[in-house]
Amino acid sequence: MSHLSEPASLRALLDKHGLRLSKGLGQNFLINPSVCPRMAEASGAADCAGVLEIGPGVGVLTWELAKISPKVVAVELDKRLFPLLDETLGSCGNVELVQGDILKLDLGALLREKFGGEKICVCANLPYYITSPVIMSLLESGLPLHAVTVMVQREAAQRLCAPPGIRACGAVSVSVHYRSRPRQLFGVSRGSFLPPPKVDSAVIRFDMLEKPPVQVQSEALLFRTARAAFAQRRKTVANAVSAGLALEKGQVEEALASAKIASTARAEQLTLEQFAALADSLWDITGKANLWEGEGI
Ligand code: SAM
C-alpha cells in the first residue's frame, strides 16, 4: 500500500478505474506515508474488538488499521470506489466494506451486527463537510465506543476540543465534553494530501467517558438546548433557545433564572454545568417530559 503515497501511483490507480476525485465528498486522499500508521496506532485499534472507519477512500488508512485490529468495518458513500477498494484491500481478510452515508445509516444496528455490541474504536480521516454532524452523532447516540480518533481541519480541531464556556466553543463542544475527554494529537500539513486542501489538518482523539461529568434529566434536551443556543450565538440564550425550541421567551427566562444564569448570557459563556442546569430547568418548567424524550436528538 505504501506505493500509494506516490502521487503518480495514486493518480495511475484512479485513472485505471476511471475515477475523478469529488470535491463535494471531501475526497482529499492521504499521501504522506507516515500519517496513517501513526493515526492507526494512536486510535487504540490494537486494543479494541474492532474499528469502524468512515470514508476509506482508496484504503490507505484501512490497510494500517487492518494490520493491528481484529476487524475493520469501513463505511464509504462513493460507490465508484468499491472496485478500486477490492483491488487495494482484497488481501485483507479482516476488512468489511459497507456502502452508505454515515449520517443516514443506523449505526447502532450496524455495530451490533458487525461487532456483536462489543466496544470498538472509530478512526477516520473525515470529509470536512460533515465533521461536526458525524462527531455529534457518534458522541450523542450512546454507541458502545471506546475512543474516536479523527482527522479534521485544524480550526475544527481547536473548536471541537474547546470546553463549553470559552469563545472558541460550539454546540458540538457540549456533546464532546459531556461524553468524552478530547485531546489534540498531532498536526498534518496540507501537503500530505492529494489534492492538497486549502488548510492544514489535525488528528484528535476523544476518549469516551464511562459516566458523564454532569447528570441531566434528559440528554436529548441537553443536546437540543445547546444546539438551539449556538444556532444563533450572537443572540442571548433566552432568545436563541426560545426560537430554537419553540418556547415562550418568558419560559426560557424563568429557566435561566432558576439555573442561576444571567438573562443576558450568550451561548459561548455557558459552561457544561450551566447547560445541564438550564436543560433541567427547562424540563421542569415546560413539564413536557414525554415530548422531549420522544424526540430524536
Ligand atoms: N481515508 C481516506 C484517506 O485518508 O486518504 C479518504 C479520506 S477522504 C478525506 C473522505 C472519504 O469519505 C472519501 O472517500 C469520501 O468519498 C468519503 N465520504 C464522504 N462523505 C461520506 C459520507 N457521508 N459517508 C461515508 N463516507 C463519506
Side-chain angles (χ1 to χ4, degrees):
M1 193 57 93
S2 57
H3 65 285
L4 292 184
S5 58
E6 292 295 327
S9 308
L10 177 53
R11 279 202 192 93
L13 180 70
L14 294 168
D15 284 348
K16 180 178 160 192
H17 289 270
L19 284 167
R20 288 177 68 100
L21 296 185
S22 158
K23 206 172 165 186
L25 290 180
Q27 290 180 340
N28 302 96
F29 293 154
L30 269 166
I31 50 164
N32 179 337
S34 69
V35 175
C36 293
R38 198 173 166 196
M39 198 174 160
E41 197 194 326
S43 73
D47 308 315
C48 280
V51 188
L52 172 71
E53 188 194 358
I54 300 157
V58 299
V60 283
L61 178 59
T62 327
W63 175 267
E64 295 299 332
L65 291 167
K67 280 206 262 185
I68 59 169
S69 168
K71 183 169 180 179
V72 182
V73 172
V75 175
E76 173 58 60
L77 176 59
D78 190 348
K79 286 192 184 99
R80 303 172 310 149
L81 286 168
F82 281 74
L84 183 155
L85 283 165
D86 283 343
E87 181 178 331
T88 55
L89 299 174
S91 62
C92 301
N94 59 343
V95 174
E96 266 189 58
L97 299 169
V98 175
Q99 198 274 319
D101 182 338
I102 194 68
L103 290 175
K104 294 191 181 145
L105 286 177
D106 179 344
L107 278 183
L110 181 76
L111 298 194
R112 269 193 305 282
E113 182 198 327
K114 305 291 184 193
F115 301 105
E118 284 205 67
K119 272 197 184 177
I120 58 140
C121 291
V122 175
C123 187
N125 172 13
L126 285 179
Y128 69 93
Y129 77 105
I130 49 169
T131 301
S132 285
V134 168
I135 291 173
M136 279 168 129
S137 93
L138 288 173
L139 297 185
E140 291 179 7
S141 49
L143 296 166
L145 302 178
H146 174 66
V148 174
T149 302
V150 284
M151 185 170 334
V152 299
Q153 293 186 339
R154 199 174 54 184
E155 287 72 25
Q158 285 157 1
R159 184 168 46 80
L160 286 161
C161 294
I166 72 166
R167 196 149 186 201
C169 73
V172 71
S173 314
V174 172
S175 317
V176 164
H177 287 265
Y178 182 76
R179 287 273 190 236
S180 75
R181 188 170 62 89
R183 278 186 285 158
Q184 296 200 46
L185 298 184
F186 55 92
V188 180
S189 70
R190 63 196 80 181
S192 300
F193 302 88
L194 182 88
K198 289 205 175 71
V199 294
D200 294 328
S201 295
V203 175
I204 50 181
R205 173 171 158 149
F206 306 103
D207 286 292
M208 304 304 286
L209 300 172
E210 289 296 329
K211 195 168 158 260
V214 292
Q215 303 298 310
V216 285
Q217 304 197 61
S218 162
E219 289 178 348
L221 182 53
L222 170 69
F223 299 138
R224 291 193 59 192
T225 303
R227 267 204 277 273
F230 281 102
Q232 302 185 64
R233 60 187 298 151
R234 292 217 182 88
K235 292 195 174 174
T236 61
V237 172
N239 281 323
V241 170
S242 86
L245 299 188
L247 294 170
E248 297 289 330
K249 189 175 168 194
Q251 286 183 300
V252 184
E253 283 172 338
E254 196 187 331
L256 283 165
S258 149
K260 301 191 172 41
I261 300 167
S263 59
T264 52
R266 287 179 165 70
E268 66 198 31
Q269 297 169 321
L270 265 54
T271 62
L272 178 60
E273 289 71 18
Q274 287 175 312
F275 268 114
L278 174 59
D280 276 355
S281 302
L282 284 169
W283 176 274
D284 292 338
I285 285 166
T286 58
K288 285 185 182 170
N290 294 333
L291 221 173
W292 295 124
E293 277 297 87
E295 291 179 34
I297 49 177

